């Protein structure tokens, strides 16, 4: 059974204080690993897709990386508007392509 | 474009009642899906559709029905509500083969008493 574990559950940073969120996974053949941002009271918003170990993607202050067992979402010099819950999901190579297995998320709060 | 819209935003039901959660998208996406999000659990797929007239079960389909008569609409029916169905429900849509980039609606918060 595919599994995704995200840590920490919650993270509080001061503005400008860089850190990383972790997503560890077990999957029967990885087709893709995805990161989403979810603001309170809203649906998730797609951020990145990673397909193979060693791959990196960047968007503004966010950089996602992938190894064979985990992915990191690095946040460089965060701002208060980066506050949100960040979700990780995996898609297995076998089975239905519609099935994404989601983690429970990391709730990030960035303060002034 | 309105994107993905969901109604209602919030609903309270009594055990045994039925209701339909509405979902519509105006992006001409072939793929649509329904998820539920519960505290301490990741998003879980309930049902999905790869096009008008085609639906399939996801991870947690029991107690829910769907139909897809048009490309735009994908309603979710609760047949006989139970307290275990208290959750936040999200509808999503994407182009076929791009499920990871699906656009999510704002969600419907459902409380079953």
């Amino acid at each position: 059974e595919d599994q995704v574990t995200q840590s920490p559950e919650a993270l509080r940073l001061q503005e400008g204080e860089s850190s990383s969120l972790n997503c560890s996974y077990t999957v029967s053949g990885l087709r893709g690993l995805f990161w989403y941002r979810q603001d309170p009271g809203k649906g998730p918003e797609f951020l990145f897709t990673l397909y193979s170990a060693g791959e990196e993607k960047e968007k503004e202050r966010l950089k996602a990386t992938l190894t064979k067992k985990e992915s990191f979402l690095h946040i460089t010099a965060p701002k208060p508007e980066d506050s949100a819950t960040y979700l990780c999901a995996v898609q297995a190579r076998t089975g239905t392509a519609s099935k994404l297995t989601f983690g429970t998320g990391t709730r990030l709060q960035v303060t002034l | 474009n309105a994107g993905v819209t969901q109604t209602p935003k919030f609903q309270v039901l009594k055990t045994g009642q039925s209701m339909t959660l509405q979902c519509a998208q105006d992006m001409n996406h072939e793929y649509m899906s329904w998820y539920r999000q519960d505290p301490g659990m990741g998003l879980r797929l309930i049902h999905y559709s790869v096009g008008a007239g085609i639906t399939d079960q996801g991870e947690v389909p029991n107690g829910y029905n769907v139909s897809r008569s048009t490309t735009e609409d994908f309603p979710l029916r609760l047949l006989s509500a139970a307290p275990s169905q208290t959750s936040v429900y999200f509808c999503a849509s994407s182009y076929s083969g791009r499920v990871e980039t699906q656009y999510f609606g704002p969600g419907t918060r459902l409380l079953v008493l």
Side-chain angles (χ1 to χ4, degrees):
Chain A
E1 184 181 328
D2 304 335
Q3 284 190 325
V4 175
T5 303
Q6 292 188 246
S7 61
E9 284 188 21
L11 181 63
R12 186 180 171 115
L13 300 173
Q14 285 197 321
E15 185 175 13
E17 181 186 2
S18 301
S19 188
S20 297
L21 313 182
N22 178 265
C23 170
S24 61
Y25 65 91
T26 55
V27 64
S28 52
L30 181 70
R31 180 179 296 186
L33 184 142
F34 318 113
W35 283 97
Y36 299 85
R37 170 190 171 125
Q38 184 173 22
D39 292 303
K42 295 189 176 181
E45 179 184 343
F46 171 76
L47 291 173
F48 301 112
T49 300
L50 300 165
Y51 291 111
S52 56
E55 190 174 359
E56 297 182 353
K57 293 277 179 70
E58 279 189 73
K59 181 178 180 179
E60 295 181 358
R61 295 175 292 282
L62 301 177
K63 183 167 82 171
T65 61
L66 181 65
T67 73
K68 289 187 177 179
K69 293 185 178 180
E70 57 192 350
S71 176
F72 293 93
L73 185 65
H74 306 279
I75 303 177
T76 303
K79 298 182 177 181
E81 52 262 42
D82 294 322
S83 297
T85 296
Y86 291 86
L87 304 176
C88 171
V90 297
Q91 184 184 40
R93 193 168 288 126
T94 57
T96 173
S98 300
K99 185 178 185 304
L100 303 184
T101 300
F102 283 84
T104 53
T106 293
R107 191 171 63 255
L108 174 67
Q109 184 181 13
V110 182
T111 59
L112 292 171
Chain B
N1 285 355
V4 179
T5 57
Q6 291 184 238
T7 56
K9 290 185 178 178
F10 180 69
Q11 183 74 44
V12 179
L13 288 180
K14 293 182 180 178
T15 296
Q17 286 185 316
S18 62
M19 79 161 295
T20 299
L21 280 63
Q22 301 292 345
C23 173
Q25 53 91 8
D26 61 358
M27 296 172 281
N28 203 32
H29 286 161
E30 302 93 353
Y31 181 86
M32 295 186 74
S33 58
W34 278 101
Y35 291 87
R36 59 179 290 173
Q37 187 173 42
D38 301 294
M41 304 189 74
L43 284 157
R44 291 181 293 169
L45 182 65
I46 304 172
H47 285 287
Y48 65 97
S49 169
V50 297
I54 306 169
T55 63
D56 207 344
Q57 295 182 352
E59 187 181 355
V60 287
N62 292 343
Y64 307 96
N65 247 354
V66 292
S67 60
R68 183 104 179 262
S69 55
T70 67
T71 299
E72 295 79 18
D73 300 298
F74 191 43
L76 178 72
R77 297 183 189 85
L78 277 69
L79 309 173
S80 176
S84 60
Q85 293 178 304
T86 293
S87 187
V88 180
Y89 291 85
F90 290 100
C91 179
S93 74
S94 72
Y95 292 112
S96 285
R98 299 301 310 276
V99 62
E100 70 276 13
T101 61
Q102 55 196 322
Y103 291 84
F104 285 84
T108 293
R109 187 174 295 273
L110 177 67
L111 176 62
V112 183
L113 301 175

